[in-house]
Amino acid sequence: MSATPHVVAIVPCHNEEGAIAKVVSDLHATIPGIDVYVYDNCSTDRTAQVAERAGAHVRHETEKGKGNVVRRAFADLDADVYLLIDGDDTYDVADAPGMIDTLLAGPYDHVLGVRKQVSETAYRSGHASGNKFFNSMVSFAFRREVSDMLSGYRVFSRRFVKSFPALSREFEIETELTIHAVNERVPQTEVQVGFRDRAEGTESKLRTYHDGFRILRIFSQLLFHERPFLITSIFSGILAALGLVFGLPVVVEYFQTGMVPRFPTAFLASALFILAGVFLLMGVLLNGQVKMRREASRLFYLRLPAPPFGAKSPRSSRLTDHTTTEDVA
């Protein structure tokens, strides 16, 4: 492996003609030697042509959705470090070298760019509160603090990318990336990044409530997929509590009178307790399957090399060389 790691930027785009040229130019200027791959995702404007003129490698993903783009890019591209950034110029590209250096200094497998608003209008109405809500849910369910799970600005190692299943289709991909990282307990950290308004004349593709419900749905699916015992034990506890509510008066009455006059209530309480046991047993069995799947996933992850520890990003390497030359002179 070379002293300077190979870095690629993945830039998903849908109708970003007005912003993509600046994103590509900034990436080339900030990280010399980086390969910028713009994935045109069913654009109806000149996004692809503008990106190509700016110096990007342009590829086309005909399945609409950011998740489909990430899935395709992770499969296609081979590098030491992967930078994921949106093509709308809302993220500060100047933070990218620091994120890359942080990944390599760990070494980490995932560096999350936590958005810090440069302007008060950078977040759309409802997005900030929704983001906090989902952050709290993930932090509680997976017992790992997450500050900005919906951020689209991230840096990954090769072993993270090649061991990530990428099942999501649209904007819920950030949720899947976050849950994969916290659930697999890969080494990761967070870095604050600048976040600003979209370029003038461009329009956001996010739909607050529609995308929020999609994220909630994928979160629920992943939670049951990764923490089945938690879900089934909650249902088991609710059913057992209802069984006590209906059954305890019947038991008390039996001990007082020696009779069970309310047979339907007694049968209902018994059925609720049986269902509680079934849910609990199902959770135990599913949890065993999850453990085996995690072991297999972990072994595959360990087959891939770690990021080059102590290496520097191309930008940092160039600055170091330049400083050394001046000192010698």
Side-chain angles (χ1 to χ4, degrees), residues 221-259:
Q221 292 173 349
L222 290 171
L223 182 61
F224 184 76
H225 186 65
E226 301 295 347
R227 300 289 305 279
F229 187 73
L230 173 65
I231 302 300
T232 56
S233 61
I234 290 174
F235 278 102
S236 178
I238 293 172
L239 291 170
L242 289 173
L244 282 174
V245 170
F246 288 109
L248 197 57
V250 176
V251 173
V252 171
E253 190 171 6
Y254 171 76
F255 279 110
Q256 290 175 345
T257 65
M259 302 180 65

Side-chain angles (χ1 to χ4, degrees), residues 184 289-300:
E184 296 296 329
Q289 291 185 337
V290 169
K291 184 177 180 181
M292 289 189 293
R293 176 168 51 79
R294 286 178 184 168
E295 288 173 350
S297 175
R298 179 69 179 175
L299 290 174
F300 180 79

Side-chain angles (χ1 to χ4, degrees), residues 14-17 40-47 49 64:
H14 174 69
N15 291 342
E16 297 293 357
E17 178 184 352
D40 178 35
N41 190 214
C42 306
S43 295
T44 56
D45 61 6
R46 299 176 61 256
T47 295
Q49 295 90 326
K64 192 173 181 180

Side-chain angles (χ1 to χ4, degrees), residues 2 10 37 64 81 92 128 139 145 168 184 199 205 269 283 313 323:
S2 62
I10 301 169
Y37 287 85
K64 192 173 181 180
V81 178
D92 191 350
S139 299
E145 190 67 28
S168 301
E184 296 296 329
K205 316 305 182 301
S313 68
T323 303

